[in-house]
Amino acid sequence: MGFDGPQARATAMARRALDEARVEVRQGSEAPDFDAIIDRAETLMIEELRMGLVRVINATGVIIHTNLGRAPMGSEQIRAVIEVAGTYSNLEYDLSEGRRGSRYAHATRLIARVTGAEAAIVVNNNAAAVLLTLAALCSGREVIISRGELVEIGGEFRIPDIMSISGARLVEVGTTNRTHLVDYERAISPDTAAILKVHPSNYKVVGFTSTVPARDLARLATGRGVTFLHDLGSGLVTDDAPADFTGEPLVQVALEDGANVAMFSGDKLLGGPQAGIIVGHTHHIIQLERHPLLRVLRVDKMTLAALEATLRLYLDGRTDEIPLWRMARTDADELERRARAIAEELREIGSIKVEAFPTRSVAGGGSLPDVEVGSWAVALLPDRAGASELQRSLRRSDPPIVARVEEDRVLLDLRTVAPDDDRTLAAAIRRVLG
Ligand SMILES: *Cc1c(COP(=O)(O)O)cnc(C)c1O
């Protein structure tokens, strides 16, 4: 079984460039000149040799962008990953006892300290956290949920589907816009295992609405001997987030309000690696630890290392070293200064005007539905070549740049661009427009 080396792949790309030229000629075009064929072969080769998964510059202004990999990590978080990736580690080894240990021990102690939870466990993502919790605590029994919270998070994650895979039986109460405590009360039966509350992460019901506060649901659940589960979604753990984020539920508050088990993502407002973090009472978490699904949904050492480093930054009060919070807290003046500097440098290329432009960025793609922050962008005002064509060219540059288009302008929102990337961004714009 042999794989072709780079030489053989280069030959194949040259042949493909020639084949393309032949097809064009057969369709009646003029034969391309020699240089054009070489250029085309070179382009194909670069594409062929380039990694499939590459870094991109996120100029959308969306801080938690699911399609662009959600939260980027800072140097300390990355260092922790590199440290364990290339060596052996005490992943499942208890160094003081010299025998098998638990891979979860390292992170869960810190999760408990950050959130105030009695116990915790970590799985692959929050979807997995919801699945494991329902399977371990509610399988074969009923789970009550408001019709206003039967959500689809995106990417095939729908609460009713997860519920059915877990073996729990869904009991819907209330209506899309209004659910009352009495609706839950009436639905509780001897078969009820839990009440589940799901945070509306990616939508907002406005107008004539009513939902039951977590605290009331917790009190009802406790009184009737059922478990109260709270899917928080984004996992905010710091109360010194910018004001725009304060609508999101704090994990600590959810626990104080009486959630027996709460779950959230590691790569949304925690600003860490992809993970699902489950916090709650020890006797519940032990049931999750013993469930066979935990092995299926388990996280690897790199995730655990990144998570531990992330949690340490919170405990040390160094949240500015978490890129998510650095970006969220950058004030608009600073972004304006950077936008003006880039616009000043480029000004006008060909017939395309480059300007600094005030805008608003949304915090989350698929999370934080109405969180908007004032921001500044570099705006490109195309003439004949349309804005979407320009946007496409930026996506094809190296590194690719993802921008948004608003009213015929291409906007490069600097809130999500690292200051170190300003020069790269300016150079790419110059190349694309030049
Ligand atoms: C994002 C989200 C999920 C899914 O989390 P992943 O980490 O993407 O699997 C589940 N529930 C809620 C409420 C969410 O916001």
Side-chain angles (χ1 to χ4, degrees):
M1 159 115 188
F3 291 105
D4 298 339
Q7 196 100 37
R9 274 148 73 200
T11 310
M13 292 309 119
R15 289 205 174 110
R16 198 194 297 172
L18 280 168
D19 287 343
E20 284 180 10
R22 283 192 193 103
V23 170
E24 280 169 33
V25 171
R26 241 179 269 131
Q27 287 168 349
S29 307
E30 291 242 342
D33 64 21
F34 184 66
D35 286 345
I37 296 174
I38 296 284
D39 278 355
R40 180 62 191 149
E42 216 168 68
T43 306
L44 287 170
M45 207 136 69
I46 289 166
E47 281 170 13
E48 169 76 13
L49 297 182
R50 185 153 86 175
M51 284 283 288
L53 182 62
V54 294
R55 96 174 187 107
V56 306
I57 294 184
N58 174 9
T60 63
V62 180
I63 301 178
I64 306 291
H65 198 308
T66 297
N67 300 148
L68 301 184
R70 290 208 184 144
M73 293 198 284
S75 56
E76 190 131 330
Q77 296 162 292
I78 294 164
R79 206 166 325 123
V81 174
I82 292 172
E83 176 79 20
V84 300
T87 58
Y88 293 103
S89 61
N90 61 339
L91 179 65
E92 286 188 356
Y93 189 72
D94 184 332
L95 288 170
S96 60
E97 301 291 329
R99 60 183 151 103
R100 185 166 184 214
S102 157
R103 73 170 53 216
Y104 304 103
H106 317 283
T108 54
R109 206 168 35 85
L110 294 173
I111 296 167
R113 270 170 65 197
V114 168
T115 62
E118 216 174 86
I121 191 88
V122 184
V123 289
N124 181 61
N125 56 11
N126 192 30
V130 177
L131 175 63
L132 175 64
T133 305
L134 291 172
L137 304 180
C138 310
S139 182
R141 301 182 63 200
E142 291 175 354
V143 175
I144 304 171
I145 180 169
S146 160
R147 289 198 171 85
E149 296 172 3
L150 287 173
V151 306
E152 173 177 310
I153 303 294
E156 308 303 315
F157 178 80
R158 288 176 158 190
I159 291 287
D161 297 340
I162 297 289
M163 191 84 80
S164 97
I165 291 169
S166 76
R169 284 198 307 278
L170 173 68
V171 175
E172 306 172 22
V173 296
T175 61
T176 306
N177 59 332
R178 288 171 73 86
T179 305
H180 308 283
L181 189 62
V182 58
D183 296 324
Y184 288 95
E185 250 176 294
R186 284 195 196 121
I188 295 178
S189 79
D191 249 2
T192 306
I195 293 173
L196 171 63
K197 186 170 179 64
V198 180
H199 179 66
S201 288
N202 53 0
Y203 68 102
K204 201 139 189 116
V205 183
V206 293
F208 186 55
T209 66
S210 152
T211 59
V212 184
R215 203 177 318 170
D216 298 348
L217 288 179
R219 200 175 306 131
L220 172 65
T222 310
R224 303 286 292 273
V226 303
T227 307
F228 176 47
L229 311 172
H230 198 162
D231 176 9
L232 299 168
S234 58
L236 183 67
V237 297
T238 173
D239 55 10
D240 88 43
D244 315 275
F245 293 86
T246 47
E248 287 298 302
L250 262 172
V251 177
Q252 294 90 330
V253 171
L255 290 170
E256 279 163 26
D257 279 350
N260 297 124
V261 179
M263 39 259 170
F264 54 95
S265 295
D267 53 357
K268 289 182 178 170
L269 291 184
L270 191 70
Q274 177 191 304
I277 298 164
I278 311 173
V279 290
H281 292 167
T282 307
H283 69 277
H284 288 121
I285 300 296
I286 284 176
Q287 285 173 264
L288 306 194
E289 279 171 0
R290 289 183 186 147
H291 196 278
L293 259 185
L294 180 65
R295 177 65 173 75
V296 178
L297 305 172
R298 87 174 181 192
V299 282
D300 77 326
K301 59 189 174 185
M302 292 183 277
T303 300
L304 288 165
L307 186 59
E308 183 173 341
T310 308
L311 293 162
R312 283 183 190 284
L313 290 172
Y314 280 101
L315 286 171
D316 295 349
R318 291 157 60 204
T319 53
D320 271 339
E321 291 174 52
I322 298 171
L324 157 76
W325 293 123
R326 198 167 54 220
M327 289 188 278
R329 287 182 190 137
T330 307
D331 45 83
D333 292 349
E334 167 68 11
L335 298 173
E336 177 179 2
R337 197 189 49 72
R338 287 169 50 200
R340 287 198 188 285
I342 294 173
E344 187 71 14
E345 183 191 326
L346 300 172
R347 241 181 259 190
E348 208 164 317
I349 302 177
S351 55
I352 294 176
K353 267 215 185 65
V354 184
E355 287 177 0
F357 192 78
T359 180
R360 300 192 69 72
S361 20
V362 292
S367 55
L368 316 172
D370 59 351
V371 176
E372 271 197 355
V373 214
S375 188
W376 276 78
V378 175
L380 310 180
L381 289 75
D383 55 344
R384 274 167 300 123
S388 29
E389 199 171 312
L390 209 50
Q391 184 188 33
R392 195 171 326 120
S393 309
L394 286 164
R395 274 205 312 270
R396 290 209 194 108
S397 87
D398 181 20
I401 295 163
V402 186
R404 44 177 221 272
V405 169
E406 264 173 34
E407 293 172 11
D408 268 349
R409 283 191 190 89
V410 178
L411 295 185
L412 298 144
D413 190 322
L414 294 187
R415 180 165 298 281
T416 46
V417 176
D420 285 350
D421 282 336
D422 281 4
R423 298 217 63 78
T424 312
L425 189 68
I429 297 171
R430 192 186 293 282
R431 257 196 326 273
V432 166
L433 301 186

